[in-house]
Amino acid sequence: MSKQQRGLGKGIGALLGMEADLNNIRKPVGYINKGVVNAEQPQTNATADILRIPADLIEPNPFQPRMSFDKEALEELSESIKTLGLIQPITVRRKEGNRYQIISGERRFRACRLAGMDMIPAYIRDTNDQGMLEMAIVENIQRENLDPIEIAMSYQRLIDECRLTQEQMAVRVGKKRASVTNYLRLLKLPAKIQHDLKVGLLSVGHAKVLLGVEDTQLQEYLCDLVIKEGMSVRQLEDKIKKLEQKKADPADDGQELPDEYFKVLEIVGKYFENNISLKRSSAGKGSMTIHFSSDEEVRRFLKALEDSQF
């Protein structure tokens, strides 16, 4: 005796007892019963409701922590809005001249505009610049996938512009103070490392380890090494430990230099303002490091080499 085919597996038509037309079922959210804000008849007592506001009366949030919006993701959201409407309204505040400024939801606003919407569903809240900045940052941190540098810069703005302590900051964003502190420390990294962290080439875990390295050039070298070799955080820690051990090992600190080495330092150093160092082991192996401050220094040195017919 064969088993009767169950509803699941036949699709939504079987569950509804009919061949369903999804386009009719999923009608766009229109908020048609809500008041409409316009330049001639501004709504002054509708802060608790959802209103439809003309898109050309809405301006971006100058305190927006997010610096860039993924184009492909924005287009996908736009297509969803075309089909279903804007499920989650944006939040705005009133400005002079019957205009409105976005507090949160700029990504949704941009997608609505991309979808060709002239009227945007929105909540209206009354707030000052500080309150707006705080709400915008908290909204973005909680709901958007900000990169670590954007989060750190957002925290720093709250501290600088709203004069908050790190303790107050932690309360505002619902994070532990240690977490806030760790993010703020990321801003002490060299610009190159911040960039790699921002675009996802480096993890926050790697960045925290690099913060323990004092030498900026070494930080950048290790950062490049992590990206090139795909090092884990643990491997990076081990690499740093080995470098520290090597530096502390007297056998690798170099021996007394023979006179000819001092001669090299004297001759080459004068072209680079003596910004040159040389290390030599007891076996005669070593390295020479030259730091130059401009292309002109290198050109002068090259000319000297050519003139001496080396």
Side-chain angles (χ1 to χ4, degrees):
M1 181 175 180
S2 62
K3 291 184 179 180
Q4 183 177 358
Q5 181 72 25
R6 304 181 68 178
L8 289 174
K10 289 186 177 182
I12 194 170
L15 294 175
L16 296 176
M18 56 179 282
E19 288 299 323
D21 182 350
L22 294 182
N23 290 330
N24 291 330
I25 293 174
R26 293 176 175 167
K27 294 181 179 180
V29 177
Y31 301 102
I32 57 176
N33 296 322
K34 305 301 181 181
V36 178
V37 174
N38 57 52
E40 289 73 29
Q41 297 176 327
Q43 304 290 324
T44 57
N45 59 353
T47 57
D49 211 345
I50 301 172
L51 302 179
R52 294 190 299 150
I53 303 176
D56 57 4
L57 295 183
I58 301 174
E59 59 188 51
N61 179 356
F63 306 111
Q64 169 61 249
R66 178 172 288 279
M67 301 172 189
S68 61
F69 294 83
D70 183 82
K71 183 178 179 181
E72 184 177 346
L74 206 59
E75 290 175 348
E76 290 177 355
L77 179 57
S78 174
E79 289 301 316
S80 173
I81 289 173
K82 285 180 183 179
T83 303
L84 304 176
L86 182 63
I87 305 299
Q88 181 183 354
I90 67 173
T91 304
V92 299
R93 68 167 177 169
R94 291 188 183 86
K95 297 284 288 183
E96 293 181 359
N98 294 327
R99 296 189 63 82
Y100 297 83
Q101 193 173 73
I102 298 172
I103 293 176
S104 64
E106 185 164 336
R107 177 173 173 270
R108 280 167 278 151
F109 174 73
R110 293 189 183 202
C112 286
R113 296 296 281 157
L114 193 61
M117 290 178 61
D118 296 325
M119 305 293 288
I120 312 296
Y123 295 103
I124 300 175
R125 295 190 64 174
D126 294 320
T127 181
N128 56 22
D129 284 351
Q130 176 172 334
M132 183 175 177
L133 175 59
E134 291 183 14
M135 283 190 286
I137 290 176
V138 172
E139 168 79 10
N140 275 274
I141 290 173
Q142 291 179 345
R143 300 190 181 185
E144 299 289 351
N145 187 25
L146 295 178
D147 66 64
I149 296 301
E150 285 178 320
I151 294 175
M153 293 182 70
S154 299
Y155 288 169
Q156 192 63 53
R157 287 191 67 185
L158 272 178
I159 290 175
D160 294 340
E161 299 178 29
C162 298
R163 299 179 182 179
L164 299 180
T165 64
Q166 289 192 21
E167 190 68 40
Q168 292 169 328
M169 162 82 70
V171 173
R172 292 290 197 281
V173 299
K175 302 287 184 180
K176 293 182 179 179
R177 180 174 178 176
S179 176
V180 170
T181 301
N182 284 332
Y183 271 108
L184 290 171
R185 290 179 67 221
L186 298 178
L187 299 178
K188 297 180 180 180
L189 290 166
K192 178 184 180 301
I193 299 180
Q194 288 191 36
H195 169 270
D196 293 342
L197 186 59
K198 183 176 179 62
V199 300
L201 293 176
L202 198 72
S203 73
V204 174
H206 289 104
K208 289 179 181 178
V209 175
L210 291 176
L211 280 166
V213 178
E214 294 182 0
D215 186 90
T216 301
Q217 291 184 333
L218 182 56
Q219 283 181 329
E220 294 182 347
Y221 164 77
L222 290 169
C223 175
D224 290 342
L225 202 61
V226 168
I227 297 171
K228 181 180 179 181
E229 299 185 4
M231 297 172 62
S232 66
V233 174
R234 181 62 180 272
Q235 288 173 325
L236 176 60
E237 290 174 335
D238 291 341
K239 179 67 175 179
I240 293 174
K241 287 179 181 178
K242 289 179 181 178
L243 289 174
E244 291 175 345
Q245 290 172 355
K246 184 175 180 181
K247 184 178 179 180
D249 189 347
D252 290 329
D253 274 346
Q255 305 294 318
E256 182 69 25
L257 295 177
D259 291 341
E260 56 264 29
Y261 284 78
F262 288 105
K263 189 68 172 178
V264 171
L265 291 173
E266 180 183 352
I267 295 174
V268 179
K270 67 182 180 181
Y271 294 100
F272 301 98
E273 298 182 355
N274 292 319
N275 197 1
I276 177 175
S277 62
L278 194 152
K279 297 178 69 174
R280 173 186 177 276
S281 70
S282 57
K285 296 182 179 180
S287 62
M288 182 169 62
T289 304
I290 299 174
H291 299 277
F292 55 89
S293 58
S294 67
D295 292 337
E296 184 58 32
E297 286 186 353
V298 178
R299 293 191 189 100
R300 286 201 304 266
F301 181 57
L302 177 59
K303 186 176 185 303
L305 289 176
E306 293 174 340
D307 291 345
S308 63
Q309 297 180 352
F310 277 6

